[in-house]
């Protein structure tokens, strides 16, 4: 089985060879717009239901229990690195973990997503949402330390949810198609909205700081649902808070990736919020994404996750195109990824082949 033959390099091995440290890995170099020997590749949701070894570990363990158990976080995070040979690990957790850590009563329901027992819609509701401190999440720091020890030269990407996406779950009480209560609060009580997002920015900033201080080499801020906003609303009601997360970790010196879905209109604003790398989904080409952000930011993306179900030759042609686009003039750095997360029914063997093809086609 590929997951057993591809061992993760141990730190001991990497210190005796010429393999670069995680801080000088292809992922970090591409994020910093520095030259690389091949295009780095990882996949959002690379750890998860597409992997039989993940389903095995999670069989009797609820999602949020797994997220708070360092040995399980470590094992699950390493699974796709061993199996696919991706250029980065993404920390196995969830955007709602820090909310749970400060006492929000929530669950992650399989096939649905996060469900909040008592949604936050009033000033009194906000008053019962405390700030996050490192003491709330000792297990997160412990998981990161364990992982960094196991990963050797492979960088770990830490992450957090952006204030808007977190606020949407808290205000709606769960996943939402239209975000109607969230937008009603944003426009109906802008002060309460702003105070809620400021609190969430503090929580996300601290969650990211804990991960980086424990050894993560890069971070990604997920504003998955920001694409539901107009540019004017994003700039007025959301960007200042995302900026406070991204700028608030600037002193840590790790690359910051800023990602959302359907954000073609928002890319310049999301880049200016303090990112080093801008996530581009499959609706916008990488070259357009780079042009819209003034050619100053590395880009990450942007294979449509549904194309992983297409016949191999069609998929391979698209992968080669994306690699070529990512190397074109005007694109200062490229990290290959999907436009959104791996779908649960994806054949993991196809993901492994995509990694091999990205490496082979981009080798220089
Ligand atoms: O591999 C990775 O990308 C790292 C782990 C990760 C998870 N969630 C694990 C997870 C990451 C980075 C997230 C972030 C996250 N969580 C986001 C932002 C990314 C995105 O997809 O846009 C969002 C919106 C959430 C909220 C959330 N949690 C959703 C929508 C779901 C899916 C619900 C479902 O069952 O379809 C979850 C649960 C979740 N988070 C799973 C995983 C692997 C599935 C839970 C399971 O395996 O039972």
């Amino acid at each position: 089985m590929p997951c057993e033959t591809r061992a993760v390099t141990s730190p001991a091995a990497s210190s005796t060879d010429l393999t670069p440290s995680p801080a000088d890995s292809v992922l970090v170099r591409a994020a910093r717009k520095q030259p690389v020997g091949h295009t780095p590749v990882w996949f959002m949701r690379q750890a998860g239901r597409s992997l039989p070894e993940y389903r095995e570990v999670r069989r009797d363990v609820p999602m949020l229990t797994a997220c708070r158990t360092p040995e399980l976080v470590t094992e699950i995070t390493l699974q796709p690195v061993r199996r696919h040979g991706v250029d980065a690990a993404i920390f196995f957790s969830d955007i709602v973990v820090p909310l749970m850590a400060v006492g929000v009563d929530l669950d992650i329901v399989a096939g649905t997503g996060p469900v909040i027992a008592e949604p936050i819609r009033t000033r009194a509701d906000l008053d019962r949402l405390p700030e996050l401190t490192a003491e709330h999440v000792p297990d997160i720091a412990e998981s990161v330390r364990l992982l960094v020890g196991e990963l050797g030269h492979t960088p770990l990407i830490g992450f957090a949810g952006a204030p808007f996406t977190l606020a949407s779950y808290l205000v709606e009480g769960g996943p939402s198609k239209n975000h109607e209560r969230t937008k009603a609060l944003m426009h109906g009580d802008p002060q309460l909205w702003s105070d809620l997002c400021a609190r969430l920015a503090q929580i996300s900033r601290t969650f990211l700081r804990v991960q980086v201080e424990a050894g993560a080499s890069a971070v990604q801020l997920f504003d998955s649902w920001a694409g539901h906003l107009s540019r004017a609303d994003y700039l007025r009601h959301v960007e200042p808070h995302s900026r406070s997360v991204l700028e608030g970790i600037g002193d840590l010196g790790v690359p910051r990736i800023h990602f959302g879905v359907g954000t073609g209109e928002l890319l310049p604003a999301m880049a200016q919020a303090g990112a080093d790398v801008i996530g581009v989904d499959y609706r916008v080409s990488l070259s357009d994404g780079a042009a819209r952000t003034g050619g100053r930011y590395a880009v990450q993306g942007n294979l449509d996750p549904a194309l992983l179900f297409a016949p191999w030759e069609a998929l391979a042609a698209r992968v080669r195109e994306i690699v070529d686009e990512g190397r074109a003039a005007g694109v200062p750095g490229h990290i290959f990824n999907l436009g959104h997360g791996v779908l649960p029914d994806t054949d993991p063997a196809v993901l492994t082949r995509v990694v091999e093809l990205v490496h082979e086609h981009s080798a220089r």
Side-chain angles (χ1 to χ4, degrees):
M1 286 215 340
C3 56
E4 279 164 9
T5 53
R6 201 193 307 264
V8 176
T9 311
S10 73
S14 61
S15 63
T16 53
D17 64 22
L18 295 175
T19 315
S21 72
D24 200 36
S25 56
V26 274
L27 179 105
V28 171
R29 291 183 61 82
R32 295 198 194 290
K33 304 180 280 186
Q34 294 166 340
V36 285
H38 66 262
T39 302
V41 49
W42 69 280
F43 304 113
M44 290 181 271
R45 288 284 163 89
Q46 62 189 19
R49 282 170 292 181
S50 69
L51 301 184
E53 58 270 33
Y54 170 81
R55 296 196 296 269
E56 180 61 31
V57 172
R58 279 284 325 284
R59 206 164 35 168
D60 303 314
V61 188
M63 175 67 186
L64 287 168
T65 307
C67 291
R68 305 299 305 266
T69 310
E71 292 71 23
L72 293 182
V73 171
T74 305
E75 168 56 23
I76 294 172
T77 302
L78 291 173
Q79 285 175 346
V81 182
R82 290 189 199 115
R83 180 188 268 267
H84 302 309
V86 280
D87 294 288
I90 172 95
F91 187 59
F92 181 78
S93 193
D94 197 86
I95 57 169
V96 296
V97 164
L99 302 179
M100 178 203 187
V102 296
V104 176
D105 183 0
L106 60 87
D107 196 10
I108 293 184
V109 179
T112 300
V115 176
I116 315 291
E118 294 176 61
I120 293 190
R121 293 173 188 158
T122 64
R123 176 67 57 182
D125 294 334
L126 173 58
D127 288 343
R128 56 180 174 75
L129 181 68
E131 293 197 342
L132 180 72
T133 65
E135 289 71 43
H136 286 111
V137 283
D139 55 297
I140 299 297
E142 170 67 10
S143 298
V144 171
R145 279 192 294 268
L146 282 173
L147 266 167
V148 170
E150 294 281 333
L151 280 164
H153 66 265
T154 303
L156 177 68
I157 302 172
F159 75 90
F164 173 74
T165 291
L166 289 177
S168 171
Y169 283 109
L170 286 176
V171 174
E172 304 290 338
S176 169
K177 221 159 103 187
N178 301 310
H179 308 273
E180 51 269 59
R181 287 174 183 275
T182 312
K183 292 182 179 181
L185 178 63
M186 179 188 286
H187 288 270
D189 192 342
Q191 190 58 52
L192 177 58
W193 170 260
S194 172
D195 293 346
L196 170 61
C197 287
R199 179 68 46 83
L200 293 170
Q202 187 282 332
I203 290 173
S204 289
R205 208 164 50 228
T206 303
F207 195 56
L208 291 176
R209 291 195 81 88
V210 165
Q211 294 170 71
V212 174
E213 283 165 2
S217 297
V219 295
Q220 177 154 324
L221 187 65
F222 281 96
D223 209 351
S224 302
W225 313 138
H228 288 264
L229 295 167
S230 69
R231 185 155 46 150
D233 281 353
Y234 181 82
L235 284 170
R236 174 146 179 238
H237 296 290
V238 173
E239 192 265 0
H241 303 290
S242 296
R243 174 186 294 278
S244 124
V245 179
L246 291 165
E247 288 188 347
I249 59 161
D251 60 308
L252 298 174
V254 299
R256 296 155 295 180
I257 308 166
H258 197 182
F259 168 80
V261 181
T263 50
E265 292 295 326
L266 304 181
L267 291 178
M270 288 181 72
Q272 284 163 29
D276 301 288
V277 182
I278 186 79
V280 178
D281 83 2
Y282 62 87
R283 295 166 184 84
V284 174
S285 73
L286 291 181
S287 34
D288 283 352
R292 287 179 198 187
T293 48
R296 291 194 307 276
Y297 297 85
V299 292
Q300 175 174 280
N302 70 344
L303 180 69
D304 182 346
L307 285 194
L308 295 165
F309 295 77
W312 173 249
E313 272 320 316
L315 168 59
R318 183 69 197 121
V319 169
R320 288 189 200 96
E321 264 170 28
I322 292 172
V323 169
D324 292 343
E325 264 182 37
R327 296 180 62 186
V331 182
H334 177 218
I335 298 167
F336 191 102
N337 205 315
L338 306 179
H340 200 182
V342 174
L343 297 164
D345 290 334
T346 305
D347 176 356
V350 174
L351 289 172
T352 309
R353 279 184 91 175
V354 169
V355 173
E356 287 165 0
L357 179 57
V358 170
H359 286 168
E360 180 193 298
H361 190 67
S362 65
R364 50 222 189 231

